Amino acid sequence: MRPSTRHESATQIKHRKAEARLDDARELRDAETDFGDSFDRCLVRVSHIQAETSHQAAIAARVEI
């Protein structure tokens, strides 16, 4: 947020501060979205690992019989 000037009206200052808050909210939203996307990718990876582990266990069980 840039410093105010002498010629800025109260409305202009409020508008500038509101814009800064909106920018902060957008940055937070983007960070949350990035985190959510990363978390979703991790869940998919865990699911794949679990499926592979189950598949390997099934193969091992058949070999032991």
Side-chain angles (χ1 to χ4, degrees):
M1 189 169 70
R2 66 181 169 80
S4 63
T5 63
R6 285 183 177 200
H7 304 291
E8 227 176 358
S9 71
T11 302
Q12 289 171 321
I13 293 170
K14 287 179 186 177
H15 184 264
R16 185 171 43 83
K17 289 180 179 181
E19 284 294 323
R21 285 192 301 272
L22 278 174
D23 289 343
D24 290 346
R26 286 181 189 114
E27 287 178 22
L28 179 59
R29 181 200 60 210
D30 292 345
E32 289 173 341
T33 299
D34 292 344
F35 174 79
D37 291 346
S38 296
F39 186 74
D40 290 345
R41 284 192 300 276
C42 288
L43 289 178
V44 168
R45 181 70 183 132
V46 166
S47 177
H48 289 168
I49 291 170
Q50 288 173 332
E52 181 64 25
T53 302
S54 296
H55 179 71
Q56 293 296 329
I59 291 172
R62 280 188 245 145
V63 171
E64 289 177 11
I65 294 175

